[in-house]
Structure formats: C-alpha cells, structure tokens
Amino acid sequence: MPETIRVAIGSDHVTALAYPPPTASEPAVTLILAHGAGAPQTSDFMVDFAEALARRGSHTVTFNFLYTEKGRRLPDRTETLEAAFREVIATVRARAPLARGRLVIGGKSMGGRIASQIAAQGVTDLAGLVFLGYPLHPPGKPAMLRAAHLARIRATMLFVQGSRDAFGTPGELAPVVEPLGPRARIHVVEGGDHSFAVPKRGPVPQEEVYTRVQDEIARWLLTLPGPHGQRRSISTPPTS
C-alpha cells in the first residue's frame, strides 16, 4: 500500500501517494508523476503505472493538483499548477528515503507538461523527465504548439507517445525532439491513443501494451547517471 503524504500548498494542501519498491535497498530513482487534466492520481491509469514502476525498482510518487484535491473539474491556473508541483518536489526531497534517489519528474498529459515547464524554469539536480502522452497541441489545433520551452530543459527526457495521439503524434513530435539531440527520445506506442489505449482487435492485448511501456521506462531509468556520472542500477523483477 502506498504511503500518504500531506503536502502544504500555501494555506491549502494536496495529497501525495508514495509507492515503495519491493526491496528496502538504497533507492536509485525517485520518480514523481502528476496526473492529467481529467483524472486524479487514483485513476486506474495512474495507479497502474505507479505500482508497476515501483515494482521495477523506483520509489514512485503521485499527487493531486489543488483543483483535483478540492473536487473541481476545471484545472487551476498554470502558476498554481506549477507551484503545487514544486511543493511536492520540496516535500519529497525532505523525506528519507525518497530524498536519496535521483530525481525524475513527469506525468500524464497535462501533468507532464507542467513538469516540463518547471524543469525549463529550473529544478536543481533533476536527472530526467518522463512524459506519458505529451500534449504537444490541443486536438485539432496542430499550430498551437506547447514546445518552445523544451529546448531550455537540460535534463534527459523520454516521450512515450501513442501513434494515434490526438494531442500530437510521434511524427508531429519528432521535429520538436530532434534538435534536442541525445537529451530526448521518443518511444512510440503503436496503435495507442493519448492514454496508450489500442484497438481491442489489435495484435497486442492492452495489458501487454502497458507492460511494454513500463518496461521501457524502467530500462530508460537505468541509463540515468548518478551524482558523479556513474550509472545507477535498478532491480527489475520479472513482470509476467
């Protein structure tokens, strides 16, 4: 069961959930994932990914943004979303053993975008970012790109993108990522939509699609350098 953590946001607070890895060894990575605009951290998608990545060796933390915590449907203003993410980072860094792992942030859709924005503004000692369906543009509005700030991020980035993503296909994302060089790469979920859902009659069952994505993220986390440039090891137990 995850540990519940209260995070103060000014005079308010949000709830974070910390999913520990199966062993009590020194953590290699602490991964903070934010939810998307339309579902909280307790959605099936967020819980599945948090639990799966914890099983693969990362201390994984999710949290609610303030509007979600209060039961509202409309997301907060950008600065409020960013402030909440920063407070979660500060709280995580103040707690053992979470503070001892290399920090990676990201999230589902909007949550990943907010992570990218605060990373572009500056997050100390950030090892990497994971984007679970990066919202490159609003559906049907490909000219409204949300990408100019990505060039200011110095940490390594992994974009997991469905080939049918209405918020930006891998083909649309590629010209944005290519100039970033080795700092960023795209993992394509063939047949996947914005939440990596594939057609029911497709060649790969949905559960296996998620498993493959989670395995890929775990492998990518293994490539992140430690504090002095060395690679850190993460135990990756069998997923079958």
Side-chain angles (χ1 to χ4, degrees):
M1 294 295 293
E3 175 191 4
T4 300
I5 302 172
R6 182 185 173 97
V7 180
I9 310 292
S11 59
D12 288 304
H13 79 278
V14 298
T15 301
L17 298 174
Y19 297 78
T23 64
S25 59
E26 181 73 11
V29 169
T30 294
L31 172 62
I32 303 176
L33 294 176
H35 63 76
Q41 66 175 329
T42 53
S43 68
D44 290 344
F45 182 95
M46 291 297 296
V47 172
D48 182 74
F49 270 75
E51 290 180 341
L53 293 171
R55 286 196 303 271
R56 288 160 173 77
S58 299
H59 282 259
T60 307
V61 179
T62 65
F63 68 95
N64 282 334
F65 286 109
L66 194 58
Y67 77 96
T68 309
E69 191 80 6
K70 291 183 175 294
R72 299 195 297 261
R73 297 183 62 183
L74 186 65
D76 300 314
R77 295 168 61 91
T78 295
E79 54 267 32
T80 302
L81 297 170
E82 292 175 350
F85 211 134
R86 288 186 178 277
E87 289 298 332
V88 171
I89 291 173
T91 299
V92 165
R93 282 178 160 168
R95 297 177 68 92
L98 299 176
R100 294 196 292 270
R102 296 285 285 157
L103 178 65
V104 178
I105 64 175
K108 173 76 177 73
S109 191
M110 182 195 75
R113 177 172 62 85
I114 297 302
S116 72
Q117 290 171 190
I118 64 172
Q121 295 163 13
V123 176
T124 305
D125 296 328
L126 181 63
L129 296 99
V130 177
F131 304 115
L132 304 176
Y134 186 80
L136 181 63
H137 58 70
K141 299 180 179 179
M144 295 179 60
L145 295 181
R146 302 154 168 159
H149 65 287
L150 295 176
R152 299 196 298 272
I153 299 175
R154 310 319 303 170
T156 304
M157 291 171 273
L158 174 64
F159 295 81
V160 182
Q161 207 78 2
S163 64
R164 298 185 298 115
D165 194 334
F167 288 79
T169 64
E172 292 176 299
L173 190 59
V176 174
V177 170
E178 184 177 3
L180 305 179
R183 299 201 314 275
R185 71 181 181 88
I186 303 171
H187 175 73
V188 179
V189 182
E190 291 295 343
D193 65 7
H194 192 50
S195 296
F196 316 143
V198 297
K200 291 183 178 180
R201 296 186 179 181
V204 183
Q206 187 64 60
E207 183 177 355
E208 185 175 345
V209 170
Y210 286 156
T211 296
R212 291 181 180 183
V213 170
Q214 292 151 2
D215 286 343
E216 179 63 25
I217 294 171
R219 284 191 292 267
W220 176 79
L221 291 173
L222 286 171
T223 70
L224 298 178
H228 303 293
Q230 75 273 20
R231 303 298 180 188
R232 301 293 299 271
S233 62
I234 301 176
S235 60
T236 308
T239 57
S240 60

